[in-house]
Amino acid sequence: MNTPDTLELRKEAAVLHKEEPVKKFVFSFKEGDGKNKQLLGGKGANLCEMTQIGLNVPPGFVISTEACLTYLANPDHLLPAGVLTQVNEQMLDVEEATGKVFGDAENPLLVSVRSGSALSMPGMMDTILNLGLNNKTLRGLINQTGNERFCYDAYRRFIQLFGKVALGVPDEKFDKIFEDVKRKAGVKLDIGLSTENLQEISERFLQVVREHTGRPFPEDVYEQLEIAIKAVFNSWMGKRAIDYRREFNITPQMANGTAVNIVAMVFGNMGNDSATGVAFTRDPGTGENIFFGEYLVNAQGEDVVAGIRTPKAVLQLKEEMPDLYRQLEELRDKLESHYREIQDFEFTIEKGVLYCLQTRNGKMNATAMVRTSVEMAKEKLISKTEALLRLKPETLEQLLHPRLDSLHKTTPLAQGLPASPGAASGQCVFDADRAELLGRADHKVILIREETKPEDIHGFFASQGILTSRGGKTSHAAVVARGMGKPCVAGAEGIRVDVKLRQAKIGERTLHEGDFITIDGGSGFVYQGVIPTVEPTFSDELKTLLQWADEVAQLKVMANADTPEAAQKALNYGAMGIGLCRTERMFNAPDRLPIVVEMILANTEEERLVALNQLLPIQKQDFKEILTTMAPRPVTVRWLDPPIHEFLPTEDELREELAHLRHLKDTASGVTNLFNSFRLLHAYDEDTKAALPFNEKGVELIDQAIVKKEQMLKKVHDLYEVNPMLGHRGVRLGLTYPEIYKMQVQAVLEAAAECQQAGIDVRPEIMVPQVCNAEELVQVKAYVQEIKENIEREKEIKLVFKFGTMIEVVRACVTADELAKEVEFFSFGTNDLTQATFSFSREDAENKFLPLYAEKNILHNNPFEILDVNGVGKLMKVAVEWGRKSNPELKVGICGEHGGQPDSIRFCHQLGLTYVSCSGPRVPVARLAAAHAKLGEAKNSSL
Ligand code: ADP
Ligand code: MG
Ligand code: MG
């Protein structure tokens, strides 16, 4: 609504706008700031930088992301003032540099119009090649090059790309014509098409555009340019781009708008002395320092990526064009030493001249990242610090991905190129929409395509792995899968995909949608069925890197492990000790549970002691093994925590079992009576009579079982709690049934004593759960002390151990000064502490309202996954400060699940904790995160 006031305001704004000097939106490659990716996009900034360090980049310029955002905000779809004038000025420069003229009939200049935002989003936005062709310039180009075939090839590409990207003509319309002409001409590959074929294709393409848009294809080259620039800008708000940004959490701070790069065309399709390719300065699959890439002779850029033909390995260029290969190697070296990072670059050779068309930091899987980090640091290309910071801690998780069990004897169905390592099994699907549908329904699927396109991206997210029948290691499928850390086999040429029939043929065999297959992205093999996988092993490079991390880090990284086997595994992951050993897990083994049940059912202390004395040697043996495995590292043992009724069956289960037993008793009594009747007839069988439970003895046993179950039922009743989470558990159990904790203390300290006597340097640390009050600790400590003294006297040794408490109750945080006087260490149990701080029970929260809270932006993160720094974190801070004030020697750690999460680890570092403890497989991630926390100190001194 335009009230007089707003009208005034708008007039004023218009005047202001007029008076403002026109902004600089366009930068030539010679002047653009190579560091300003926000403004110029990654591609544009690097084109500038490469030009400025003297690499052979075709002349061109960048239109800034600022222009894009201004344009997108304009309701009239007008380019911001000044853009077109500045573009025209730059075009003059490009004309001068190339000696060609845009739109000229004699010597036409052609350009590409390319997108590129601050973050590389492979294949997310479209590029238009050969712009500037029309009827007139086409003739000129033919006269000039004398290569009619090449010209029509360029023309049909331009019409298709421009038609699709700028005018919205569906790709299939072009593809159909293309395939039709190919079939009629009886050729399989694009290069088999004759000049006449390409001419026919071009003409039919123009016709398609006319039909679809109701207007002839634009002949004015400057009109083409303007439409193309707008189309690239618009692609920023296209569905594909938006989906991609959402999936990878790309915020406007990271990338806002796309730049447009206008680049003079160079042609890889001018004959057999021309080529185009994509290369990595090192192998992005393994990280090995070898030149890695692919090229196609007589082709244009997008052919390699789109997987139209299967390209050749770059090493082959050494034979085909030795001099250019040497130049290419030189380019590789220059790029790497300048950027000090693995580069993924595009090149084109036009009639024997090499051009570089793009470079960016290479996306690699974790294996390659680790190896290149270590090797580049050793080569002194980067520092150790840079080597560590290069890797996001989470990426290490990929290394913990399973591989195929090498013992499997299955013969492969097909083989393609090993395009992204890792093994995956799943059901076949042949298009991205089906993959998404089945993936959402929790099916494991493998997406099988002839080749993938950016439109398939949602299918990638839903799949375990990708299999294509065309394309190389730098094809779209390979690049995207590597970026996502998903296994990919590309170019498995034996597979013929039929999307309509939802099947694929491999030789005689047919794979239908839903059939299981396994792909191995490390070898390129494809197998029928599900093949078992094995745990990965650590490479030497990973060991080195983590060792560097440990040298830097301040935090120690411990593991949560409850059994000797888990302890060994944790040690293999590089755990520096055990931060949480949950003793209840030791109670649950099938041979122990009956004893635990006896202990719980006991009505008197004596009865309970009988059971506990049976458990003592078993637990002691466990502790001995764990302590020995970890020696001389600390092992933190937590006393029994859950409410004891968790070891008993539920009331419903018991009622059902009782009903069953009573029924059994009736039957058994009946049969017994029957046998007794047989005896009267002297017709019974000695053997049968002996078989339980069909005799008096059997009935007696059933009776005993019934009595026991009834006892249990009564106990379950007695132990019933309205809210067990806040009930009779942890130290409260330890104080009401001290015998239980005493047995555990006895087991650990005896185990430690025996290890010590055997000369093993063990470091037990015992900790009490659920403490809310210093007096609880005082009372527990009294009997720990007594047991300790007894053992020391008996064995004539001095025991070495620590006594500590969990901090997982809000009151414990705020009375930390009092608790700290009684203990040598604190360990934050942030799972319970989070529940207590929010008054959320985790299961209910995660199942019922947390998703909604995230959606409504009430709680951004799930606090059970990412430590709630503002709330739980403040309590932790208070506890650390107050605790250390009354006990400066206090050791403080965290053993909740957050202990393995990089953001939370950074927070723990800032709090000055001594250690974090997490699950075994997270240990490598946590070690690197701990180093990052230390290295990022300067940046994050916000606490
Ligand atoms: P993408 O981001 O999808 O890789 P690009 O803008 O890099 O898109 O372009 C697509 C393909 O076209 C690439 O192979 C690139 O090398 C090629 N290309 C782009 N501009 C030119 C040009 N001026 N001359 C020759 N090839 C080009
Ligand atoms: Mg590119
Ligand atoms: Mg707890």
Side-chain angles (χ1 to χ4, degrees), residues 378-649:
K378 286 187 173 165
E379 290 157 22
K380 301 252 185 299
L381 192 58
I382 58 175
S383 67
K384 276 190 190 177
T385 303
E386 287 170 315
L388 288 169
L389 289 176
R390 224 177 132 244
L391 263 138
K392 261 186 149 181
E394 291 91 336
T395 54
L396 292 185
E397 244 170 294
Q398 279 181 32
L399 294 180
L400 312 161
H401 278 179
R403 285 175 297 111
L404 284 191
D405 185 348
S406 56
L407 294 178
H408 78 91
K409 293 268 188 298
T410 322
T411 35
L413 271 181
Q415 186 176 17
L417 299 166
S420 177
S425 303
Q427 291 169 283
C428 301
V429 281
F430 303 98
D431 71 82
D433 293 341
R434 293 288 298 167
E436 187 174 42
L437 203 74
L438 292 170
R440 282 233 181 99
D442 274 345
H443 289 276
K444 293 202 183 318
V445 299
I446 304 283
L447 177 61
I448 309 181
R449 302 283 288 163
E450 195 164 83
E451 61 196 279
T452 63
K453 292 193 171 180
E455 291 87 80
D456 294 327
I457 197 88
H458 56 295
F460 279 65
F461 295 134
S463 306
Q464 306 299 306
I466 318 295
L467 170 60
T468 67
S469 61
R470 277 206 286 187
K473 287 195 206 172
T474 51
S475 64
H476 176 262
V479 172
V480 175
R482 274 201 298 274
M484 292 185 186
K486 296 201 175 186
C488 175
V489 173
E493 289 181 345
I495 302 180
R496 287 190 316 283
V497 179
D498 189 330
V499 180
K500 282 227 179 74
L501 290 180
R502 292 194 190 160
Q503 65 179 39
K505 282 214 148 65
I506 306 176
E508 299 291 271
R509 217 176 305 211
T510 306
L511 286 175
H512 297 280
E513 180 177 295
D515 290 352
F516 276 92
I517 61 162
T518 298
I519 61 169
D520 181 357
S523 66
F525 285 119
V526 180
Y527 304 89
Q528 184 136 31
V530 176
I531 294 184
T533 50
V534 287
E535 293 302 311
T537 46
F538 274 41
S539 68
D540 287 345
E541 287 90 6
L542 181 57
K543 282 185 199 147
T544 307
L545 192 83
L546 290 174
Q547 201 181 319
W548 293 349
D550 295 346
E551 284 162 18
V552 168
Q554 203 165 291
L555 282 169
K556 299 256 174 285
V557 178
M558 313 279 176
N560 300 346
D562 306 324
T563 60
E565 300 75 48
Q568 185 56 52
K569 264 203 184 144
L571 200 58
N572 297 346
Y573 283 117
M576 302 168 203
I578 290 178
L580 177 64
C581 172
R582 286 162 288 208
T583 45
E584 53 271 19
R585 299 286 170 100
M586 297 181 176
F587 285 162
N588 271 328
D591 55 328
R592 303 173 186 188
L593 196 58
I595 314 176
V596 176
V597 170
E598 283 302 318
M599 170 191 87
I600 296 170
L601 292 182
N603 286 320
T604 62
E605 196 182 321
E606 290 81 61
E607 275 175 33
R608 195 154 32 246
L609 277 174
V610 173
L612 284 168
N613 283 335
Q614 279 178 281
L615 283 173
L616 177 69
I618 305 178
Q619 289 223 337
K620 184 166 124 186
Q621 186 54 32
D622 281 340
F623 289 132
K624 267 174 94 168
E625 286 176 37
I626 295 176
L627 286 166
T628 310
T629 306
M630 298 308 292
R633 300 168 188 81
V635 174
T636 314
V637 179
R638 181 185 73 186
W639 302 146
L640 191 66
D641 183 30
I644 46 178
H645 59 74
E646 281 193 9
F647 297 99
L648 298 181

Side-chain angles (χ1 to χ4, degrees), residues 105 133 197 244 462 541 566 740 906:
L133 277 175
N197 296 148
Y244 189 92
E541 287 90 6
I740 302 180
R906 179 161 20 91

Side-chain angles (χ1 to χ4, degrees), residues 638 641 729 770 806 808 829 832:
R638 181 185 73 186
D641 183 30
R729 59 178 287 207
Q770 299 293 331
M806 296 275 292
E808 52 188 336
D832 273 330

Side-chain angles (χ1 to χ4, degrees), residues 79-150:
L79 286 172
V83 166
L84 286 177
T85 325
Q86 292 172 33
V87 165
N88 290 352
E89 278 164 20
Q90 291 293 339
M91 283 302 279
L92 288 177
D93 272 6
V94 176
E95 288 178 346
E96 196 177 334
T98 55
K100 299 177 182 177
V101 179
F102 195 46
D104 190 64
E106 306 290 305
N107 185 16
L109 168 68
L110 304 188
V111 295
S112 61
V113 177
R114 318 168 66 185
S115 60
S117 71
L119 283 186
S120 112
M121 295 160 63
M124 281 300 104
M125 282 169 293
D126 291 301
T127 286
I128 298 169
L129 298 178
N130 308 330
L131 187 133
L133 277 175
N134 58 20
N135 253 324
K136 199 172 71 175
T137 54
L138 177 70
R139 291 263 73 82
L141 198 67
I142 292 172
N143 285 338
Q144 192 190 27
T145 58
N147 187 342
E148 208 173 351
R149 187 187 181 283
F150 153 73

Side-chain angles (χ1 to χ4, degrees), residues 43 58 111-112 114-115 123 125 127 129 263-267 276 300-302 305 346-348 357-358 360:
K43 194 183 285 169
V111 295
S112 61
R114 318 168 66 185
S115 60
M125 282 169 293
T127 286
L129 298 178
V263 190
M265 282 304 302
V266 290
F267 300 102
T276 183
Q300 248 189 348
E302 78 276 18
V305 183
E346 294 171 0
F347 62 90
T348 285
L357 285 166
Q358 185 182 336
R360 60 181 172 218

